[in-house]
Amino acid sequence: MSQDMNLIAAVDIGSAKVAAAVGRKHPDGQVEILGLESVRCDGMKRGVVFNVEEIVNAVKMVVSALEQRLNIKLIDVFVSVSGFNVRATGNSCYRFIKQDELIKSFDLEQLLQDSYRIVLQPDEKILHVVPQDYAVDNERGVKKPIGYSGQKLEGNFHVVIGTQSDVRKIEKCIEKAGLRLNGLVFTPLASAEAVLSDEEKEAGVVMVDIGAGTTDLALFQDDVLRYSAVIPFGGNVVTNDIKEGCGVLQKHAEKMKIQFGSALGTMAREDAVVTIPGISGWEPKEIAFKSLACIIQARMEEIVELIEHHIERSGYFEKLGAGIVFTGGGSMLKHLVELTKLKTGFDARVGAVSRARSTEEEELLRMPSFATAAGLLISAGKYPGSVITREQQLFEDVEKEEPPTSKSERKKNNATKSKKPKRDKLEYITGDLFSRLAGMFEEKDTEM
């Protein structure tokens, strides 16, 4: 069992697999990934938990594998969150500064807390409030206003909103697996931390994470998160199209997509076919590479068009100097980059983990499907938000009246209260370094 308090643990619950990662953050800010594990899991659809037991079993499997490999005990974990119910909006708040005083970090913290006070739909909760930029009097676009002199400070924030019910399901899965939820991180933000360079974020870039159930995107410009969205389908719809179009089983459709699929029909060989074993009593079936590619291209064009639509909607279509970076399992589809360049005109590339180092998992880090798990370790504590879903009680700070007791009984009770239970030294094994940051605002959104 490890007692290293610098260890961070993360679990990425996807629609096709559950991945877990353990890392260590060094004083220079660099994250070293010590272990990565994954297991197939179909307990989530379109980013929403629907089979709790299946996910719990998968989480237990990957966590147990890591614990045995690294000889540690995992307790606190950061977890990814996405789904078709996640949405984002912009919010602006302002406050006045006292005359002859300079702007302090306290003022920024107050603006951040004020930004949690927005009107939400029933069952919604705030996942993240990400500062974008500030305005001091008439000067706009200020990134670091601390030390400025002015009368009015205004802040612009990007607010990521999910649903209470979806978060509760994630919490239930983590708790039933014997773990504690240390924090939730929106999937494309985690992936971006692992894959994108500072130069790309400054020039303007769209991070697109193509998972099995959803396609998540986050747009950065001038090193600021400007826009994010969730497209409610991903690689699974491509597999389903192959299954229906070619009349094959789901497992064969998935293998065909991975091994022989192409996002561009013109790039597929016309003289090549793949033979699929027939169902018992039926002849094997031959599928032409060209036909397979045309089925895939039709669906991938739809996804790329929706990505382009969101870029236009963001208002930053003309400000993406670095283009589009793909990650996630769906980004491994052949000729996706070529299709994207053809349909959008943007530069594009497939990105793997580049913002963390590892001596044990170099091969896995080159796979885009592990970008989110690694990004959760890198982004730990960077995107504070609420992880507690209990309802806040009115006047919960007011102590309840106790029935009158005798003087001797009061002395006995006070003596009992003064004895604090001893804390197990090995209780916080992973995640303790950032656990308090993740819950900074856990009471804010319950007030709305």
Side-chain angles (χ1 to χ4, degrees), residues 112-276:
L112 186 65
Q113 294 188 37
D114 289 344
S115 196
Y116 277 80
R117 299 186 178 97
I118 63 174
V119 178
L120 299 174
Q121 298 297 321
D123 193 42
E124 284 189 333
K125 71 182 278 92
I126 293 176
L127 299 176
H128 301 301
V129 175
V130 183
Q132 294 182 310
D133 53 28
Y134 301 88
V136 180
D137 293 338
N138 295 321
E139 185 177 354
R140 298 194 169 274
V142 179
K143 290 185 180 180
K144 298 178 181 179
I146 295 176
Y148 275 58
S149 175
Q151 294 182 336
K152 181 181 178 182
L153 172 65
E154 183 177 355
N156 298 312
F157 300 89
H158 185 79
V159 185
V160 181
I161 300 168
T163 62
Q164 292 272 8
S165 55
D166 290 342
V167 171
R168 286 194 192 102
K169 289 177 184 177
I170 294 174
E171 289 179 343
K172 185 183 293 185
C173 291
I174 297 302
E175 289 170 2
K176 286 175 73 69
L179 302 167
R180 284 198 300 241
L181 182 60
N182 206 356
L184 291 170
V185 182
F186 188 31
T187 295
L189 301 186
S191 300
E193 290 298 317
V195 173
L196 298 181
S197 67
D198 293 336
E199 292 78 9
E200 286 174 324
K201 288 182 180 180
E202 183 177 350
V205 65
V206 182
M207 173 86 263
V208 178
D209 190 316
I210 305 179
T214 61
T215 299
D216 308 318
L217 63 90
L219 188 151
F220 296 84
Q221 199 275 330
D222 199 17
D223 204 25
V224 173
L225 174 65
R226 303 292 184 180
Y227 184 89
S228 65
V230 177
I231 298 171
F233 50 85
N236 281 347
V237 295
V238 178
T239 304
N240 290 334
D241 286 352
I242 297 171
K243 174 187 174 183
E244 297 296 330
C246 299
V248 297
L249 299 177
Q250 184 87 9
K251 62 180 181 180
H252 293 150
E254 181 69 16
K255 288 181 180 179
M256 288 167 60
K257 180 184 73 173
I258 295 172
Q259 295 180 17
F260 310 109
S262 170
L264 269 178
T266 55
M267 303 292 285
R269 291 176 55 185
E270 296 186 5
D271 60 342
V273 297
V274 55
T275 302
I276 302 300

Side-chain angles (χ1 to χ4, degrees), residues 293-312:
C294 289
I295 293 172
I296 295 173
Q297 180 176 343
R299 181 62 74 173
M300 292 309 300
E301 280 183 349
E302 184 180 355
I303 293 176
V304 171
E305 286 170 1
L306 284 170
I307 293 169
E308 187 175 22
H309 163 74
H310 280 290
I311 295 174
E312 291 175 346

Side-chain angles (χ1 to χ4, degrees), residues 399-426:
E399 293 185 3
K400 294 181 181 178
E401 264 189 45
E402 296 181 357
T405 56
S406 66
K407 187 175 181 181
S408 60
E409 287 177 335
R410 285 198 300 270
K411 285 183 178 179
K412 185 178 180 181
N413 290 339
N414 290 336
T416 304
K417 289 178 183 177
S418 64
K419 291 182 181 180
K420 295 183 180 179
K422 291 184 178 179
R423 183 178 173 183
D424 185 357
K425 292 182 180 179
L426 300 178

Side-chain angles (χ1 to χ4, degrees), residues 27-68:
D28 61 358
Q30 186 76 11
V31 171
E32 178 188 7
I33 296 180
L34 304 177
L36 284 168
E37 292 286 345
S38 69
V39 64
R40 179 79 185 178
C41 180
D42 297 318
M44 180 177 281
K45 287 185 178 179
R46 294 199 297 166
V48 175
V49 175
F50 78 95
N51 189 326
V52 173
E53 286 304 320
E54 186 169 348
I55 291 177
V56 169
N57 291 335
V59 171
K60 285 181 177 179
M61 287 177 64
V62 292
V63 167
S64 177
L66 279 176
E67 288 178 339
Q68 291 179 17

